């Protein structure tokens, strides 16, 4: 088992390993006394893991309620958020109580925002069940729901009180979802850790999951500790994401986030190599790593057609966009350029 501590506006621990879900009750008692607990889960994760979590809490004397919502991105909405808030109010939860987000990225983002809003802030524990949520969304405090105008447009920074990354949960994760998480793992290797990149570009990753998840979370912990509110360096965590968000949007969100990140990383490396932004060629290695992990390297949409969607999100500022470009494997840099230049690079 690994234990990492985030030093942001608040300090909190992340436990990573097989079986760390068993720590929930003792950690809650140590941190909050005897709180009421609301387990938040989607309809895919609930049949697999909710009863075990609820039974374990009940056996340790906690009063626990469960809120289950329909699985899918469509539930990351103001409607589900407000249903959850009403549920907490009806059951007389208070600020001293705890919301446990047991699930993937949607559950974590929704739960994070609900915990920040309910009575202006109740306690939050993140228990990610997907690889993507373990290495990325459960750590760092970005919470949000989507609006009709776009993804993640209504949210706040709200760090959790505790993160329990139980690797046992990955045993029930479908292969496609595991591959989605690997796209983010490759991202961490590309931006900050050549050894991590090399360790996942070939060979079997499933026998070294604790090492891999810990390496990713350590990078995220360090970046978040230095730039919690995303005013500079944290943008590096969006490597591959400018084009990924455009691909997701153009596909009507039928291309998953991880799949789109894989395509976005390969495309930005091709652009960086072709235009001399990278110090060495990065495209061949990233393409190989992506394909080795069951992900497609090719965008279903030609790059020129992605220009409009790529400048519509939060990375744009006036007539400029900040891109995350690879310098080499394991290192990247931020570069702000005029939208016209970005358009040219995409061949639009
Ligand atoms: N997922 C990117 C970030 O947390 O900043």
């Amino acid at each position: 088992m690994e234990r990492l501590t985030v030093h942001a506006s608040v300090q909190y621990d992340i436990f990573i390993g097989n079986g760390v879900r068993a720590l929930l009750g003792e950690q809650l008692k140590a941190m909050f006394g005897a709180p009421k607990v609301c387990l938040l889960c989607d309809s895919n994760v609930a049949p697999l893991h909710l009863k075990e979590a609820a039974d374990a809490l009940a056996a340790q004397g906690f009063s626990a309620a469960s809120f289950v919502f329909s699985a899918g991105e469509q539930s990351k909405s103001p409607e589900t958020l407000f249903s959850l808030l009403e549920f907490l109010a009806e059951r007389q939860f208070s600020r001293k109580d705890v919301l446990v987000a047991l699930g993937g990225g949607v559950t974590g983002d929704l739960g994070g925002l609900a915990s920040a809003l309910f009575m202006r802030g109740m306690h939050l524990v993140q228990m990610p069940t997907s690889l993507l949520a373990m290495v990325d969304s459960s750590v760092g405090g970005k919470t949000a729901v989507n609006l009709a105008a776009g993804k993640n447009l209504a949210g706040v920074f709200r760090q959790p009180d505790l993160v329990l990354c139980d690797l046992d949960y990955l045993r029930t994760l479908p292969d496609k979802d595991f591959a989605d998480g690997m796209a983010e793992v490759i991202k961490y290797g590309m931006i900050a850790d050549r050894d991590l990149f090399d360790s996942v570009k070939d060979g079997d990753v499933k026998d070294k999951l604790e090492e891999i998840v810990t390496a990713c979370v350590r990078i995220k912990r360090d970046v978040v500790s230095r730039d919690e509110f995303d005013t500079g360096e944290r943008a590096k965590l969006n490597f591959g994401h400018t084009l990924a968000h455009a691909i997701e949007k153009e596909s009507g969100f039928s291309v998953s986030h991880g799949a789109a990140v894989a395509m976005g990383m390969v495309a930005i490396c091709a652009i960086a190599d072709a235009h001399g932004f990278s110090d060495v060629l990065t495209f061949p290695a990233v393409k190989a790593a992506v394909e080795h992990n069951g992900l497609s390297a090719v965008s279903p949409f030609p790059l020129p057609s992605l220009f409009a969607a790529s400048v519509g999100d939060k990375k744009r500022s006036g007539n400029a966009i900040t891109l995350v470009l690879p310098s080499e494997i394991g290192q990247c840099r931020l570069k702000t350029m005029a939208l016209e230049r970005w358009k040219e690079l995409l061949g639009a």
Side-chain angles (χ1 to χ4, degrees):
M1 180 181 83
E2 296 282 346
R3 177 182 185 161
L4 301 176
T5 304
V6 179
H7 297 274
S9 50
V10 293
Q11 185 170 310
Y12 57 96
D13 287 331
I14 304 161
F15 291 87
I16 302 163
N18 293 97
V20 298
R21 64 193 182 284
L23 300 176
L24 179 61
E26 71 187 52
Q27 285 290 316
L28 291 183
K29 275 186 192 148
M31 294 168 75
F32 310 120
K36 282 166 66 172
V37 180
C38 177
L39 290 161
L40 174 67
C41 221
D42 77 14
S43 54
N44 286 341
V45 172
L48 299 170
H49 305 303
L50 181 57
K51 184 171 183 319
E52 184 203 52
D55 288 352
L57 287 170
Q60 292 172 83
F62 289 95
S63 155
S66 306
F67 183 91
V68 178
F69 63 93
S70 196
E73 186 74 22
Q74 77 286 348
S75 288
K76 203 169 136 176
S77 64
E79 292 73 25
T80 316
L81 173 69
F82 278 90
S83 305
L84 171 57
L85 295 174
E86 293 289 359
F87 177 91
L88 292 167
E90 278 159 20
R91 280 163 185 73
Q92 297 177 334
F93 276 79
S94 77
R95 279 184 186 165
K96 294 185 179 139
D97 296 325
V98 184
L99 184 61
V100 177
L102 177 65
V106 170
T107 307
D109 284 9
L110 178 67
L113 184 53
S115 76
L117 293 177
F118 187 70
M119 295 193 175
R120 301 194 182 91
M122 67 186 294
H123 299 302
L124 172 69
V125 175
Q126 292 280 7
M127 287 184 75
T129 58
S130 71
L131 181 59
L132 197 144
M134 287 182 189
V135 298
D136 196 28
S137 53
S138 66
V139 175
K142 279 192 179 172
T143 75
V145 293
N146 304 330
L147 299 180
K151 267 187 81 153
N152 294 334
L153 292 184
V156 297
F157 289 96
R158 196 309 182 194
Q159 301 297 333
D161 296 280
L162 173 71
V163 183
L164 297 176
C165 283
D166 194 323
L167 303 174
D168 287 345
Y169 287 139
L170 299 178
R171 293 193 184 132
T172 54
L173 193 67
D175 288 347
K176 190 183 153 306
D177 295 348
F178 190 86
D180 275 355
M182 285 308 299
E184 295 284 355
V185 172
I186 294 167
K187 174 196 84 175
Y188 284 108
M190 277 300 295
I191 64 172
D193 188 342
R194 172 145 209 159
D195 290 343
L196 171 64
F197 183 89
D198 287 344
S199 78
V200 302
K201 77 172 191 304
D202 46 32
D204 189 4
V205 294
K206 291 207 173 162
D207 57 1
K208 42 190 180 192
L209 278 173
E210 184 167 321
E211 200 183 303
I212 288 170
V213 172
T214 304
C216 295
V217 173
R218 190 172 281 126
I219 295 167
K220 180 132 195 197
R221 185 256 333 246
D222 291 348
V223 172
V224 167
S225 298
R226 291 191 292 262
D227 182 22
E228 178 177 359
F229 298 109
D230 207 2
T231 58
E233 182 192 2
R234 189 164 177 169
K236 290 185 178 174
L237 298 175
N238 281 329
F239 176 65
H241 284 55
T242 298
L243 288 169
H245 289 157
I247 293 167
E248 285 179 84
K249 198 167 170 196
E250 288 298 287
S251 76
F253 297 96
S254 64
V255 176
S256 64
H257 180 66
V261 168
M263 296 165 190
M265 290 190 294
V266 173
I268 199 70
C269 286
I271 291 170
D273 289 359
H275 294 271
F277 293 118
S278 49
D279 301 333
V280 297
L281 291 186
T282 56
F283 167 79
V286 175
K287 180 172 181 291
V290 157
E291 288 174 342
H292 174 72
N293 284 283
L295 293 152
S296 169
V298 184
S299 161
F301 308 103
L303 293 189
S305 73
L306 294 174
F307 173 71
S310 75
V311 297
D313 83 356
K314 299 188 281 305
K315 287 161 223 65
R316 173 187 177 166
S317 161
N319 279 334
I321 186 164
T322 299
L323 298 176
V324 192
L325 296 169
S327 305
E328 56 184 80
I329 306 294
Q331 215 176 302
C332 66
R333 61 169 84 108
L334 299 177
K335 184 165 177 60
T336 300
M337 64 177 69
L339 290 184
E340 276 310 306
R341 175 72 173 132
W342 173 230
K343 195 171 179 183
E344 258 171 49
L345 293 176
L346 289 176

